[in-house]
Amino acid sequence: MKHLTTTLLGAALATATALPAFAQETQVIGVSIPAATHGWAGGMNFHAQEAIDRLEEVYPELDFVLATASDPSKQVNDIEDMLATRNISALVVLPFESEPLTGPVKAVADSGAWVTVVDRGLAQEGIEDLYVAGDNSGFGRVSGEYMTGALPDGGQIVALRGIPTTIDNERVEGFEQAIEGSGIEIIDMEHGNWNRDDSFTVMQDFLSKHDRIDAVWASDDDMAVGVLAAIEAAGRDDVQFVLGGAGMKEMIARTRDGDPMIPANVTYPPAMIATAIELTAVGLTSSAPVSGTFTIGSVLVTQENAEDYYFEDSPF
Amino acid sequence: MKPDLHVLGPILALVALILVGAAMNSNFLSAANVTNVLSRSAFIGIIAVGMTFVITAGGLDLSVGSMAAFIAGLMILVMNGLLPTMGPGWPLVGVGVGAAIVAGLIAGFLNGFLVTTMRIEAFIVTLGTMGIYRSLVTWLADGGTLSLDFGMRTVIRPIYYDGILGISWPIIVFALVAVLGEIVMRRGAFGRHAAAVGSNDQVARYSSVDVNRVRMLTYVFLGLLVGIATIMYVPRLGSASSSTGVLWELEAIAAVIIGGTMLKGGFGRIWGTVIGVLILSLIDNILNLTDGVSPYLNGAIQGVIIILAVILQRERKAGG
């Protein structure tokens, strides 16, 4: 209903103001993203909705269709429906998986619509007009560089990995390259699946297995929550700090307030979806060029700059 | 007397795992590690005891994992909501615990009502409620994570981490639930009725067993136990999200079957279920404590051991 009103209002306004010259046509931007099945995706959904609400105010001539999918095949259906029934002029898509989404997104591009791909690239190059990319190996590198700075004399660390995916592999490779030759040794590494409960269990077992752990690369803030609970329950004081990642607001707040266990964070902002929607809107409504690749760097957050990365309203 | 593999199978598998674990890592049998493994087994364990009754009576419940996540979310919301009026303290914990138990009973009753009165297949009913509870918790959490107020978390924390005489509360509760379950299954009329219904509900009906009432009670009992498991779960990390309790239903069902309960119903064994739960958590624990196995293969190793444990007890039948 809201979309409909906006469209009608937009059309009415456009007709009223631009009557003598030409009646401006409403353009539809389709936004297809994975559903909020974990913390980061929840934040991404929040920022997508917020960006759409804001842009509908700013650009009355634009209309938005938002679809969230809980698996790749549902996302394919969503995109096919958008193309067939909504006549979209542009598609902003964060692919669930690269391979299954490549064909349907290519069909959208072939129909002449603008395509913006976010975070996960497609399996075939050159389909998208704009690629807003998160930097996973950069995420690992920044984390590794922080680790070498925080443990200048080297040390024994354990690492928790996410769900086995390309994203996770790129992060770990970036991290390993950054700590190479620094004297920091990863004595153990297991998958915590970006999940609090799994990482709690894995960390408990790491603590049973190793008598000395100097620091933990939890690589994600949800996993850091589980790791911290396990350390606290074991009553161990050899672990100096835990480095999470992705910038969950509770963790950012602890860094801001100077918690010695959470001295830093590395961002992988879910708000990159807002960047993508915004750039797409600019591209459709103005002559400013927005095609190409826009890489969103992973930034190190410490106590000094934590306030800038704290978003009160975001669920993540 | 010739040793009965059907009975010994799960015990042998458990002993073998303990020996392997002890040989691979000297910390395996340390008090800390044993406490960790038993405490984390408690959630699935408490649920699996209830699942044993449901399966024995010829039913199935796929919704328990989602139900646990939903109840955990509800418990956190209730406690956060009443915090300004009641203040942090044990009375508020009592309210949270009450909410979890009531929610568990209602959820179990709903499953039971749809299976018995509405006569819908248990698989379909609980597949449906599984999706419903999973969505509800995602919706309650707005896609993110529901976190218990920090002050409250300190109050409630001892439920998971403390105990009596060095034995933590989850282990004590799990043990109590298992012993009570074993007594009801073995000695109580209810256990016999559940087995009768599961083995042949027509015959049970002619023997004047109230089939629907027995089935209904197994689901309500399971719902109650899911509520109790959630009460143990929430104090651990003080949060719930859509990733809470994922696949708990399959772990619970696997534990029940490893323990020697028949998936088609008619026969159930609570102590076997307890051993099944311990086998499953030990596999995870041993894989984390040892090097040399790629973590990518953890699932495969679990699968092989589950199948082996079940083959061990089927051997007698296959041999005639």
Side-chain angles (χ1 to χ4, degrees):
Chain A
M1 193 59 215
K2 185 158 179 238
H3 286 290
L4 188 64
T5 353
T6 325
T7 321
L8 288 176
L9 252 176
L13 269 175
T15 337
T17 49
L19 250 183
F22 57 94
Q24 205 172 359
E25 205 181 321
T26 304
Q27 289 183 302
V28 182
I29 297 182
V31 180
S32 169
I33 54 177
T37 47
H38 58 272
W40 190 88
M44 195 256 304
N45 275 256
F46 167 83
H47 286 291
Q49 190 61 58
E50 202 192 42
I52 287 174
D53 290 346
R54 184 162 38 85
L55 291 172
E56 280 186 333
E57 300 281 322
V58 178
Y59 301 107
E61 71 272 31
L62 290 183
D63 192 14
F64 291 86
V65 194
L66 174 67
T68 63
S70 48
D71 61 77
S73 58
K74 162 115 180 15
Q75 192 173 24
V76 170
N77 295 346
D78 286 346
I79 292 173
E80 285 172 355
D81 288 350
M82 281 179 191
L83 189 59
T85 63
R86 298 301 302 260
N87 191 26
I88 48 174
S89 313
L91 172 70
V92 179
V93 57
L94 197 161
F96 220 107
E97 280 172 26
S98 303
E99 292 289 341
L101 266 306
T102 298
V105 173
K106 187 168 189 304
V108 174
D110 290 345
S111 79
W114 175 278
V115 171
T116 303
V117 173
V118 191
D119 189 27
R120 223 158 300 173
L122 297 171
Q124 195 182 329
E125 277 180 37
I127 294 173
E128 70 272 5
D129 300 282
L130 169 65
Y131 180 27
V132 176
D135 184 4
N136 282 302
S137 49
F139 176 92
R141 196 187 60 246
V142 172
S143 306
E145 283 164 358
Y146 177 79
M147 206 52 103
T148 53
L151 298 171
D153 305 324
Q156 299 184 340
I157 65 166
V158 294
L160 282 95
R161 307 185 56 159
I163 295 169
T165 45
T166 327
I167 299 174
D168 183 59
N169 291 343
E170 287 174 5
R171 289 181 175 185
V172 172
E173 273 164 31
F175 183 81
E176 284 173 331
Q177 277 165 14
I179 62 166
E180 214 171 70
S182 67
I184 295 177
E185 187 198 354
I186 303 180
I187 51 174
D188 225 324
M189 192 144 63
E190 283 280 345
H191 290 279
N193 303 323
W194 293 315
N195 177 300
R196 295 181 179 198
D197 293 306
D198 291 359
S199 57
F200 176 85
T201 308
V202 167
M203 192 61 206
Q204 273 197 330
D205 291 345
F206 280 168
L207 288 167
S208 304
K209 188 174 168 185
H210 305 289
D211 294 328
R212 200 192 103 210
I213 297 172
D214 294 318
V216 182
W217 184 44
S219 79
D220 174 80
D221 286 334
D222 267 315
M223 293 204 283
V225 171
V227 166
L228 286 169
I231 295 173
E232 194 189 345
R236 289 269 291 259
D237 48 15
D238 52 327
V239 184
Q240 297 165 24
F241 66 90
V242 175
L243 179 62
M248 182 196 290
K249 67 175 180 188
E250 288 84 0
M251 285 294 167
I252 295 281
R254 289 175 75 161
T255 302
R256 181 192 61 195
D257 302 339
D259 185 334
M261 281 303 274
I262 312 288
N265 207 306
V266 181
T267 61
Y268 193 80
M272 66 174 70
I273 188 73
T275 314
I277 298 173
E278 188 113 19
L279 284 176
T280 307
V282 167
L284 276 195
T285 53
S286 76
S287 52
V290 292
S291 57
T293 301
F294 189 106
T295 306
I296 296 180
S298 285
V299 181
L300 182 70
V301 180
T302 55
Q303 193 175 359
E304 285 74 45
N305 61 353
E307 192 56 50
D308 303 340
Y309 295 92
Y310 184 79
F311 304 107
E312 182 62 47
D313 298 334
S314 164
F316 182 67
Chain B
M1 200 179 125
K2 201 170 155 232
D4 187 351
L5 269 179
H6 192 73
V7 176
L8 285 182
I11 302 179
L12 286 178
L14 182 65
V15 171
L17 271 178
I18 293 175
L19 290 178
V20 167
M24 286 199 167
N25 194 303
S26 54
N27 288 328
F28 177 72
L29 291 175
S30 68
N33 191 51
V34 172
T35 304
N36 286 347
V37 172
L38 290 176
S39 308
R40 72 173 77 134
S41 307
F43 315 135
I44 304 283
I46 293 169
I47 293 173
V49 168
M51 188 68 84
T52 311
F53 282 96
V54 169
I55 292 179
T56 302
L60 194 68
D61 194 338
L62 297 174
S63 70
V64 290
S66 310
M67 197 194 284
F70 172 64
I71 295 175
L74 200 68
M75 192 174 155
I76 289 170
L77 281 181
V78 165
M79 287 194 284
N80 281 351
L82 290 175
L83 187 63
T85 44
M86 291 181 69
W90 285 102
L92 186 52
V93 173
V95 173
V97 165
I101 287 179
V102 170
L105 287 171
I106 293 175
F109 175 82
L110 271 179
N111 278 341
F113 174 78
L114 291 169
V115 170
T116 56
T117 313
M118 304 303 286
R119 300 186 169 283
I120 311 173
E121 277 292 326
F123 187 94
I124 296 302
V125 167
T126 57
L127 191 66
T129 48
M130 167 170 125
I132 293 171
Y133 296 132
R134 183 66 60 201
S135 296
L136 282 179
V137 71
T138 313
W139 176 69
L140 285 179
D142 202 7
T145 303
L146 288 165
S147 294
L148 190 58
D149 178 85
F150 192 77
M152 216 30 224
R153 226 180 289 180
T154 332
V155 178
I156 204 171
R157 210 174 162 273
I159 296 185
Y160 183 81
Y161 293 101
D162 286 2
I164 325 174
L165 303 171
I167 304 171
S168 72
W169 286 115
I171 303 177
I172 296 170
V173 173
F174 178 25
L176 279 177
V177 166
V179 168
L180 283 177
E182 176 73 21
I183 292 172
V184 171
M185 184 67 96
R186 284 288 188 96
R187 307 253 175 260
F190 181 69
R192 283 199 307 278
H193 288 173
V197 169
S199 110
N200 189 327
D201 57 348
Q202 291 299 328
V203 174
R205 196 165 282 127
Y206 295 142
S207 321
S208 74
V209 172
D210 188 341
V211 172
N212 275 354
R213 184 173 156 274
V214 170
R215 287 221 167 109
M216 170 63 96
L217 278 176
T218 60
Y219 286 102
V220 172
F221 184 48
L222 176 54
L224 169 69
L225 289 177
V226 171
I228 292 175
T230 311
I231 295 166
M232 301 288 120
Y233 171 82
V234 168
R236 187 166 84 171
L237 297 175
S239 64
S241 70
S242 56
S243 62
T244 299
V246 170
L247 294 184
W248 280 11
E249 59 281 347
L250 292 189
E251 276 190 53
I253 294 170
V256 171
I257 305 308
I258 291 173
T261 298
M262 287 199 275
L263 186 54
K264 63 178 174 18
F267 176 75
R269 206 160 53 186
I270 299 289
W271 65 262
T273 298
V274 173
I275 289 180
V277 170
L278 294 180
I279 288 177
L280 286 179
S281 3
L282 278 182
I283 299 172
D284 266 340
N285 181 241
I286 291 172
L287 286 172
N288 282 341
L289 287 179
T290 46
D291 303 308
V293 179
S294 162
Y296 294 138
L297 288 173
N298 282 8
I301 290 168
Q302 269 178 349
V304 167
I305 293 179
I306 291 172
I307 294 171
L308 275 181
V310 177
I311 287 178
L312 267 178
Q313 25 168 310
R314 296 283 180 260
E315 206 146 277
R316 189 184 61 141
K317 283 185 184 162

